[in-house]
Amino acid sequence: MHEVGMMQSILNTAVERAKQEGAHHIDEVHMRVGVAAGVVPDTLELAFDVVKRGTIAADARLDTELVPVICYCANCTLEFQPTDLLYECPECHQANCEVRQGQEFELAFLDVS
């Protein structure tokens, strides 16, 4: 369950930022997680519950925004949302399209007090 390590890193960043702002509590952690980030959102919630214990985020909630995959085909300059895991251009059927969105795993913002 690599989500625990990933959430520990996010929480460390969140606690550091909150303390820099003079906050004593983190009330909510808002994240952006891409559909193709390789993590399971429900598992993130469980991992967050584990790593927040004993920190200023102990009572915090986790809000996760799922970011859809968006690809770009350089061959026909089409930006599209793939319908399967192949990421094939629906126009020219080019198979090696650039993933422009959907692999995010980032702290978006915090609610602190």
Side-chain angles (χ1 to χ4, degrees):
M1 187 160 91
H2 69 286
E3 284 86 353
V4 172
M6 295 171 79
M7 283 308 301
Q8 184 65 62
S9 178
I10 290 288
L11 184 63
N12 291 346
T13 300
V15 168
E16 183 179 313
R17 286 187 189 172
K19 287 182 177 179
Q20 287 173 352
E21 296 298 320
H24 299 288
H25 301 282
I26 296 175
D27 302 312
E28 194 160 10
V29 174
H30 300 268
M31 292 187 61
R32 297 183 73 237
V33 179
V35 173
V39 297
V40 179
D42 290 343
T43 306
L44 284 180
E45 186 75 42
L46 293 172
F48 182 69
D49 288 343
V50 169
V51 300
K52 72 180 185 176
R53 294 179 190 152
T55 72
I56 65 171
D59 296 323
R61 295 174 308 280
L62 177 65
D63 177 55
T64 305
E65 173 193 351
L66 289 178
V67 180
V69 174
I70 300 293
C71 293
Y72 173 76
C73 176
N75 189 49
C76 63
T77 67
L78 179 70
E79 197 170 75
F80 64 96
Q81 190 169 352
T83 57
D84 57 31
L85 296 176
L86 296 178
Y87 301 165
E88 179 182 283
C89 177
E91 189 70 30
C92 71
H93 304 287
Q94 180 79 13
N96 58 349
C97 294
E98 172 190 350
V99 177
R100 289 200 163 166
Q101 169 184 300
Q103 296 176 320
E104 296 83 352
F105 186 82
E106 60 193 19
L107 176 62
F109 62 94
L110 303 171
D111 289 336
V112 298
S113 56

